Amino acid sequence: MTSRSSFFKLLKEDLRQRLWTIILAAIVFILPVPIYLAMEISNTSGYRIERWTNYISDLASPMAADSAWMVLITVVGAFICAVSGFGYLFSKKKVDFFHSLPVKRETLFAVRYINGILIYLVPYLVMLLVSFVILAVTGNFESVVLTVTGKGLLVHLLGYLTIYTTLILCVAFVGNIVVFFAVSGWTFGITLATMLIYSWFEEKFFDTFSYMGDVYADRIHALRFLCPGYFYVMAVQDPEVSLLLQQLAFTAVVAVITLLVYRSRPSDGAGKAISFPILKPVIRISVELLAGALIGMLFYEMADGSGRFPGWMLFGIVLGVVLSHMLIQSIFHFDVRKCFADKVSMFVCIAVTMAFALVMRYDVFGYDMYLPKAKKIESVAIDLQSLDNRRDSYIYDNGQIRWFDEVTEMKLLDIAAVYPYLEVLVEDSAIYADRLDSAMAYSYNEFLGVEVAYHLKNGKTVQRRYRVNGMREELFAPIFESYEYKKVHYGDIYTIPSGLIKSVSARCAMNTCVMELSQAEKDELMTVLNRELAAMTLAEKLHTQPVAILDLTVGPMSRVDAYGNSYSSNLNVYSNELPIYASYTETLRFLADRGFVTDAEYEWTGKEAMRVRLPEIEYKYGSDYYVGEVYSAGSVEVTEYALSEDMKQIMQTIAYPEDWGYGDNVIPVEPEDFERLYALCTWEPLCRYGDPTYDVYEDYRVYLDIPQDGYNMYETFNYVVSKDADLSFLFD
């Protein structure tokens, strides 16, 4: 039995043998950060920059939880200490020597494990002490320093323990330094690689796969106990108490497993590729499957995969599995002649990977047709993309304004009203997929993207991205007109307190009115807006033009960081436009009482500038832009494309200038033509405020720049002129 004095003698002797590691740790810890602090304080000595309200926490940032320097030291230090402490397992002579000592393996493990922690922790604490002294002497030591550095110490020490312990387990599994690096990469990366490759197949082959929201983050979080590096990465970003406790428990379990593996490791394991033969097929098969899937998908992408049989993908799978099998077997046996050992398992891996790829490619299990039964749905979130695409999605929450995704916030509870629309989404997406397979999807612009999140009664959330064939107004109207939908879609109007509104402006065509309102007037305006916004129908939104635009400016508000520090030097101002329709009679009356009218005449000053954008031929005429003539070149049929005669006539009708070239379809308008062109304009393209199916590319676009007060300042208004209008006077 090892006495306490003998244990400490072993600690001391082990530290003496690892003196170079201790010196290196002292240099990287104790020198850089204190020198940085001294230089920063010296650069600002004699004055304080008042706008830096977070000046002290900035000084302590190299010791914070999110310090890149500390992350680098922690990760590299864990590798060095794991190898310097347990690298003797790679040498037969050293293993025989240590195992011949009258010391239990558990004691030997504890000595080297603890010393590896001390080599990291002691210089870390010395660095903190020296830094505190520098800050205190210069009058920059405040309580925020303890908060920042305390969280940093907790996050980085726990991250070090996790990585360090896992790497020791990798050392115990192998008998060669080169294989150790390979197995370490496999241990830390196999879960993430599997998730990314699987998601790649989903995104490529499933038309309704949604990459929005936190789908990747949610998946890796669910697999966090199979991905040791996840805990440290997440703690650096946001040191959450629950996740830190999970990390501590995970590290403790790994430490126990490492001790058991170390104690049972055969003495003849040194020099071998893998000390435990049972691990060989686990590592080899997992790598072969992933390599086959990865190379297969790369070949599929390079071959510009479409609806045809994925022959190149299958070839890539065979190539990936065979090459990875040959490489791994050569490493495991240290003999290239063994590259084709275990050929049966190689062929099994090829078959399994091919089956997986074909199942994903042809959606055998109906991923795209998935629609949970209505009775299983708790709530639904729907985000019709491009609807109100001029508005930002943000809400007021816990004293701050934050941006959000509608699919993460919305909960539509009336499933009976929503379900018919969901059924059509699935059907329309199948039509879209068929047209995709015909390689003509680019010409089907009538499809709109819709994000849907199904919140099921079993607690699971399933997210899909559909393509709907047009607005489907009759089905979407009950959804849009419900309170549950509007309170999220117009989250700022429903949640931002009127007291935070700093200014209100209204504009109509070229007339703008900025109003200074009292608190009572702001309350009245927001009450009226909430009421009339709730009563607005989808038909009015889609089929009528706004009569005015209301712009509510909120802020400035200070930004708050993860430590509760207020960044008053980085104030944010939030501004959001809200279209006002004819049915908003109370709102329009409120604005009219304060000097804003929608029918005011504009007086031309002669200082304006006007530009007109000619129709986008590519979007307007799609596949008719070119005509193809097929001719034979030997045994191969080739299609040669040329500008069609109809397109030549269209370009002449549009009256393009002779020197017009691609990208030069925005031309200036002479001042004498301003009023004549303006008389043809329709104010505010509907697509910007309601109807995502409105095609602005078929018409002329007019931009009017109106000079404002200030140096070189202009306000630009956008208009539409019908494609059938006679604009020949612009080219006279």
Side-chain angles (χ1 to χ4, degrees):
M1 181 176 181
T2 304
S3 65
R4 181 179 302 177
S5 60
S6 299
F7 182 80
F8 283 106
K9 286 181 181 179
L10 290 172
L11 282 175
K12 185 177 179 181
E13 177 61 24
D14 181 61
L15 288 174
R16 187 187 65 80
Q17 295 176 1
R18 300 164 71 176
L19 185 60
W20 71 271
T21 311
I22 299 173
I23 295 174
L24 179 61
I27 292 174
V28 298
F29 269 112
I30 300 175
L31 288 181
V33 173
I35 290 176
Y36 164 82
L37 290 177
M39 292 178 65
E40 283 295 306
I41 295 171
S42 175
N43 290 337
T44 57
S45 61
Y47 68 93
R48 286 289 299 273
I49 304 177
E50 295 300 332
R51 65 186 180 88
W52 285 4
T53 57
N54 59 327
Y55 173 74
I56 303 300
S57 60
D58 278 350
L59 284 178
S61 61
M63 300 170 282
D66 59 352
S67 169
W69 173 248
M70 288 306 306
V71 171
L72 178 64
I73 291 177
T74 299
V75 174
V76 175
F79 267 94
I80 292 175
C81 289
V83 174
S84 66
F86 294 87
Y88 74 90
L89 294 174
F90 301 146
S91 171
K92 294 181 180 180
K93 291 183 179 180
K94 290 182 179 181
V95 169
D96 292 339
F97 170 75
F98 281 106
H99 286 181
S100 65
L101 296 175
V103 180
K104 290 184 177 181
R105 288 197 182 185
E106 293 86 345
T107 303
L108 189 60
F109 176 86
V111 166
R112 292 182 169 265
Y113 185 79
I114 293 173
N115 275 344
I117 298 174
L118 293 176
I119 291 173
Y120 175 84
L121 180 59
V122 173
Y124 196 145
L125 296 176
V126 173
M127 174 198 69
L128 293 180
L129 179 61
V130 174
S131 300
F132 291 168
V133 170
I134 293 174
L135 292 172
V137 170
T138 57
N140 292 294
F141 189 84
E142 297 180 5
S143 59
V144 67
V145 173
L146 292 176
T147 302
V148 172
T149 58
K151 289 182 178 179
L153 175 61
L154 177 63
V155 167
H156 296 303
L157 178 59
L158 193 52
Y160 175 84
L161 289 175
T162 304
I163 298 174
Y164 172 63
T165 306
T166 306
L167 289 174
I168 294 174
L169 180 62
C170 293
V171 172
F173 277 148
V174 304
N176 180 280
I177 185 65
V178 176
V179 180
F180 160 72
F181 283 105
V183 171
S184 298
W186 178 85
T187 302
F188 283 90
I190 188 66
T191 303
L192 180 61
T194 301
M195 187 206 70
L196 291 177
I197 292 174
Y198 179 78
S199 298
W200 189 9
F201 272 79
E202 278 188 317
E203 185 175 353
K204 184 64 180 179
F205 295 134
F206 297 157
D207 297 304
T208 62
F209 174 76
S210 174
Y211 52 86
M212 303 292 287
D214 299 321
V215 59
Y216 300 116
D218 290 344
R219 284 181 174 176
I220 193 65
H221 178 75
L223 300 172
R224 60 192 178 280
F225 293 107
L226 298 177
C227 189
Y230 172 82
F231 290 103
Y232 186 39
V233 172
M234 295 305 298
V236 168
Q237 296 177 4
D238 182 14
E240 212 179 284
V241 175
S242 61
L243 201 60
L244 292 175
L245 292 176
Q246 293 178 41
Q247 182 180 1
L248 181 61
F250 172 81
T251 305
V253 172
V254 174
V256 172
I257 295 174
T258 303
L259 175 60
L260 295 176
V261 171
Y262 176 84
R263 189 175 62 180
S264 60
R265 186 180 191 272
S267 299
D268 61 352
K272 294 182 178 179
I274 302 294
S275 302
F276 296 87
I278 194 174
L279 290 177
K280 289 183 177 180
V282 175
I283 297 174
R284 176 174 55 78
I285 292 174
S286 63
V287 172
E288 288 178 15
L289 293 175
L290 289 182
L294 176 63
I295 302 302
M297 181 57 78
L298 288 175
F299 270 75
Y300 186 82
E301 293 280 18
M302 289 189 294
D304 192 21
S306 62
R308 298 183 300 274
F309 183 76
W312 280 111
M313 181 173 66
L314 299 181
F315 172 77
I317 289 173
V318 174
L319 184 65
V321 173
V322 171
L323 290 180
S324 59
H325 181 90
M326 294 171 62
L327 176 63
I328 295 174
Q329 291 289 40
S330 298
I331 293 175
F332 280 173
H333 295 90
F334 297 120
D335 187 353
V336 70
R337 293 173 297 180
K338 296 286 186 177
C339 64
F340 282 111
D342 299 320
K343 291 188 292 294
V344 174
S345 67
M346 180 184 71
F347 289 121
V348 171
C349 286
I350 292 174
V352 170
T353 310
M354 282 186 172
F356 164 77
L358 293 175
V359 164
M360 298 291 282
R361 169 63 184 85
Y362 295 105
D363 192 10
V364 174
F365 296 108
Y367 182 99
D368 287 333
M369 298 303 294
Y370 171 81
L371 178 61
K373 295 182 179 179
K375 62 182 180 181
K376 295 183 178 181
I377 302 176
E378 181 73 29
S379 64
V380 176
I382 296 177
D383 180 11
L384 177 57
Q385 298 172 356
S386 299
L387 187 66
D388 285 305
N389 62 352
R390 281 290 301 275
R391 290 179 50 78
D392 293 323
S393 297
Y394 61 77
I395 60 174
Y396 182 79
D397 183 27
N398 292 327
Q400 299 182 53
I401 290 179
R402 63 177 177 85
W403 277 267
F404 70 97
D405 293 324
E406 293 187 18
V407 289
T408 62
E409 299 287 336
M410 187 179 297
K411 290 186 177 180
L412 303 175
L413 301 176
D414 190 355
I415 307 303
V418 176
Y419 207 75
Y421 184 68
L422 299 176
E423 292 177 320
V424 169
L425 289 181
V426 175
E427 295 171 2
D428 285 1
S429 290
I431 298 172
Y432 175 86
D434 291 340
R435 296 186 181 183
L436 262 180
D437 287 342
S438 68
M440 294 182 62
Y442 66 87
S443 63
Y444 293 96
N445 296 322
E446 71 272 19
F447 286 93
L448 307 177
V450 182
E451 286 284 336
V452 176
Y454 301 99
H455 303 293
L456 306 181
K457 292 181 180 179
N458 61 6
K460 185 180 180 181
T461 296
V462 179
Q463 195 162 320
R464 291 288 191 271
R465 185 178 191 273
Y466 298 105
R467 274 85 172 180
V468 59
N469 190 6
M471 269 303 299
R472 296 290 191 175
E473 184 178 341
E474 70 285 356
L475 297 175
F476 184 64
I479 300 171
F480 175 83
E481 294 166 10
S482 67
Y483 172 74
E484 289 80 10
Y485 182 89
K486 287 184 179 178
K487 75 176 180 180
V488 176
H489 187 67
Y490 298 103
D492 56 326
I493 304 298
Y494 281 95
T495 62
I496 293 178
S498 60
L500 294 180
I501 298 176
K502 300 304 178 183
S503 67
V504 176
S505 64
R507 63 186 177 92
C508 173
M510 295 179 290
N511 303 300
T512 301
C513 179
V514 180
M515 291 165 277
E516 294 292 336
L517 303 180
S518 66
Q519 183 57 50
E521 289 175 314
K522 293 176 185 176
D523 293 340
E524 180 183 355
L525 175 61
M526 295 307 292
T527 300
V528 170
L529 275 180
N530 275 265
R531 182 164 57 246
E532 296 192 318
L533 182 61
M536 182 181 62
T537 65
L538 181 63
E540 180 180 27
K541 183 172 187 59
L542 297 181
H543 303 300
T544 62
Q545 292 282 353
V547 296
I549 300 299
L550 196 64
D551 196 336
L552 304 178
T553 301
V554 181
M557 297 183 65
S558 60
R559 182 168 62 89
V560 179
D561 67 9
Y563 306 110
N565 300 311
S566 177
Y567 286 68
S568 61
S569 63
N570 193 4
L571 298 178
N572 292 325
V573 176
Y574 304 87
S575 180
N576 227 0
E577 294 182 345
L578 181 70
I580 304 299
Y581 295 87
S583 65
Y584 288 48
T585 54
E586 292 184 75
T587 302
L588 292 172
R589 187 181 306 114
F590 177 93
L591 298 175
D593 292 342
R594 286 150 185 84
F596 175 76
V597 292
T598 60
D599 56 355
E601 294 290 336
Y602 181 77
E603 296 182 3
W604 296 88
T605 65
K607 297 180 180 180
E608 297 86 355
M610 186 176 279
R611 297 159 288 144
V612 61
R613 180 172 185 149
L614 304 176
E616 296 279 1
I617 292 179
E618 306 95 304
Y619 291 96
K620 178 180 177 183
Y621 298 102
S623 59
D624 295 331
Y625 185 29
Y626 291 111
V627 293
E629 179 181 353
V630 180
Y631 65 93
S632 298
S635 60
V636 180
E637 287 191 346
V638 179
T639 303
E640 184 178 80
Y641 291 95
L643 194 66
S644 67
E645 292 299 323
D646 290 341
M647 285 306 305
K648 293 178 182 178
Q649 295 179 9
I650 290 170
M651 293 181 69
Q652 293 173 2
T653 303
I654 293 176
Y656 279 83
E658 292 182 1
D659 58 349
W660 178 85
Y662 182 79
D664 298 327
N665 57 337
V666 178
I667 61 175
V669 179
E670 297 298 326
E672 58 268 22
D673 295 324
F674 285 0
E675 293 188 56
R676 186 174 178 182
L677 179 59
Y678 180 69
L680 300 173
C681 290
T682 299
W683 178 63
E684 293 295 346
L686 187 61
C687 70
R688 301 170 69 185
Y689 290 106
D691 188 355
T693 65
Y694 188 91
D695 189 359
V696 299
Y697 299 106
E698 291 191 0
D699 298 312
Y700 296 92
R701 301 292 301 279
V702 177
Y703 308 105
L704 177 61
D705 300 322
I706 301 177
Q708 302 294 314
D709 294 336
Y711 176 73
N712 199 26
M713 296 293 293
Y714 284 84
E715 183 174 6
T716 299
F717 293 91
N718 302 289
Y719 304 89
V720 168
V721 175
S722 171
K723 61 183 178 182
D724 300 320
D726 181 11
L727 299 186
S728 59
F729 63 90
L730 295 178
F731 309 104
D732 290 341

